[in-house]
Structure formats: structure tokens, C-alpha cells
Amino acid sequence: DPVQLLPIEMGPTLVHAILAVCHPQAVQEFEQSNQASDLYLSGIAGFVAVEKVDMDRDIVSLLSPCSGSLPSGTLLVGDITWME
């Protein structure tokens, strides 16, 4: 697989990052197969932007087009950022 998924550390470098929210079923398939393509080829539930990272409280504040919980806690980050 040409795309490698790596866990990232929560930190201030995430501020303004655009994250893709994975579908729960894609996450389940990835956990069973360990194939990165199960996440990035299945489509995504939407996008969120990181507004703030509070390292003391381990909280990431996200801007989302919808209120409520995200469909999954698995997020993909690339190199796209958003500046207000």
C-alpha cells in the first residue's frame, strides 16, 4: 500500500488542520484487516477544522458543520490547513 497511516501526537501543530472524519464501518474494517486503504478509499463522513488544542486538559476543539458527536473518533490528517 503506497499510503502509510501513522498515529500522530496531539499538539499545537494541529491548530488550523483540516481533518477527515472516517465512517464507523470503515474503521471496523480497518481494525480487522489493518489495510490503510479500508480508511482512505471508503469515503469519509465529513471534515472538521482544529480550532484549538489544550495540552493541559488533553482537549482538541473542532469546528464542525454539524452539532453533536462525530460518527467516529478516527480522523485522518493531511497537509491542508484552514486560516480564518
Side-chain angles (χ1 to χ4, degrees), residues 29-65:
E29 291 173 10
F30 169 71
E31 289 172 348
Q32 292 173 357
S33 70
N34 208 25
Q35 297 278 335
S37 60
D38 286 337
L39 288 178
Y40 68 81
L41 291 179
S42 66
I44 57 160
F47 294 97
V48 293
V50 179
E51 182 177 41
K52 183 173 130 185
V53 177
D54 186 339
M55 296 295 294
D56 296 329
R57 295 174 34 203
D58 282 338
I59 295 176
V60 177
S61 299
L62 302 172
L63 293 175
S64 173

